[in-house]
Structures are given as C-alpha cells and as structure tokens.
Amino acid sequence: MADTIRLTGLRARGFHGALDAERVLGQEFVVDVTLFLDTAPAAAGDDLAKTVDYGSLAVRLAEVVSGEPVALIETLAQRLADVCLAGEQVEAAEVTVHKPAAPIPVPFSDVSVTITRRRPAK
C-alpha cells in the first residue's frame, strides 16, 4: 500500500486548445495531482530528500502548463504525469487537468481529464 501526497487547485495560465482563439488568448488551467509513494523513509529520518518536495513540484507543473501549447488537455495531463513520475520515489501519479473556461456553447461548471500513470516495472 502506498501513501499519498496531494497538490490540489494549482492554477496557471496556458495557451492550450484545439481552437485558434484558445492559443492566442490563453486561459487559466487548474491542476490536481495525487502522488503514490512510500513516505516511511522520509518520516523515519525527517528527510526531505527521501520524499517529494511539493513546492518544487508545483513550480515545475506550473511551468508545463504555461509552456509549450498542445491541442488536447489529455496531452497536457500526460506531460504533467511525466513530471510527477520523474521523482524516483513516486510509484504512480493521478493527474487531473481542469479547463473551467473551455469554449463550450452551453452553461457548465468545469471540464476535466483525469489520468493515472505508473512507473514502469524494473
């Protein structure tokens, strides 16, 4: 059984979308991540190096959101999952990308994509 670290509601401006206007005007994206890992080694030694520095992770995730545009939030979610799995302690990551200002012609609260990715077995 793995422990979890959650980062929810990370907000960053990006220029992702299938429509030209989305790529020009941009919009705010909201990201939630859940990391699955064993936190016991970090807790035993009170050692940040043995867990995930969520402050640093948040900065890297925001850089991906504000970085190179993609057409699909599915692609954005995969890029964010790759960042999460770059931490050697992380066994799996669940990433949700919310696009609350998506160009949908009827009233809605949110649209999101959630993916779960695991580190390949060694």
Side-chain angles (χ1 to χ4, degrees):
M1 174 178 273
D3 304 320
T4 60
I5 295 176
R6 286 191 177 88
L7 174 61
T8 59
L10 177 89
R11 296 181 183 322
R13 185 167 186 80
F15 295 84
H16 312 287
L19 303 178
D20 290 341
E22 294 178 290
R23 298 234 177 175
V24 172
L25 300 174
Q27 60 192 288
E28 182 178 72
F29 292 83
V30 182
V31 175
D32 303 324
V33 298
T34 301
L35 309 178
F36 298 88
L37 67 158
D38 182 3
T39 63
D46 198 28
D47 188 352
L48 179 61
K50 294 183 178 177
T51 188
V52 174
D53 178 343
Y54 47 79
S56 175
L57 176 65
V59 170
R60 291 192 318 272
L61 295 172
E63 288 172 348
V64 170
V65 173
S66 63
E68 181 183 349
V70 296
L72 303 176
I73 59 174
E74 292 86 344
T75 306
L76 180 58
Q78 180 63 56
R79 289 182 178 180
L80 295 167
D82 291 343
V83 169
C84 292
L85 291 172
E88 66 183 45
Q89 300 91 346
V90 179
E91 299 165 15
E94 180 181 273
V95 175
T96 302
V97 176
H98 301 267
K99 191 173 179 182
I104 296 174
V106 295
F108 73 102
S109 296
D110 189 23
V111 62
S112 65
V113 168
T114 300
I115 66 170
T116 302
R117 298 292 183 264
R118 299 194 177 286
R119 179 178 301 292
K122 293 181 181 178

